[in-house]
Amino acid sequence: MAPGAGKDEVQGWMGDTLKLRVSAPPENGRANRAVVALLARTLSAGRHRIVIVAGAGSRRKRVRIEGLSREELRERIAAALDE
């Protein structure tokens, strides 16, 4: 995750890691909230289904998305990147 970017965007996969950029600064949890919002929009999932489970204070985060299999996640990300 790259905070302070020009815009919020999903950049794509780097192996098993999804690279994101968010415009919010990493202050007071703003970048974390922006990550959750970006993933919610991209995956058409409610924000309440997306939880940062590790790395809240780091650029590298582990996120749990309830109700989506890995396959569904990859399909939705691929569809978003093709737009």
Side-chain angles (χ1 to χ4, degrees):
M1 190 244 346
K7 65 178 181 175
D8 295 353
E9 66 180 333
V10 175
Q11 291 195 299
W13 293 100
M14 293 176 55
D16 286 336
T17 301
L18 184 61
K19 186 161 183 175
L20 307 175
R21 295 172 56 91
V22 296
S23 58
E27 300 167 349
N28 301 319
R30 291 172 59 191
N32 288 335
R33 288 190 297 275
V35 165
V36 170
L38 175 59
L39 288 173
R41 281 192 312 274
T42 302
L43 300 171
S44 298
R47 289 182 188 192
H48 65 279
R49 294 174 53 192
I50 301 169
V51 179
I52 297 174
V53 295
S58 170
R59 287 177 172 259
R60 296 184 62 107
K61 301 178 184 322
R62 182 172 301 159
V63 178
R64 181 179 63 234
I65 302 164
E66 297 174 358
L68 285 181
S69 69
R70 283 186 191 266
E71 183 177 305
E72 289 172 313
L73 171 71
R74 288 219 177 243
E75 287 172 1
R76 291 185 188 191
I77 295 293
L81 291 173
D82 285 341
E83 293 179 347

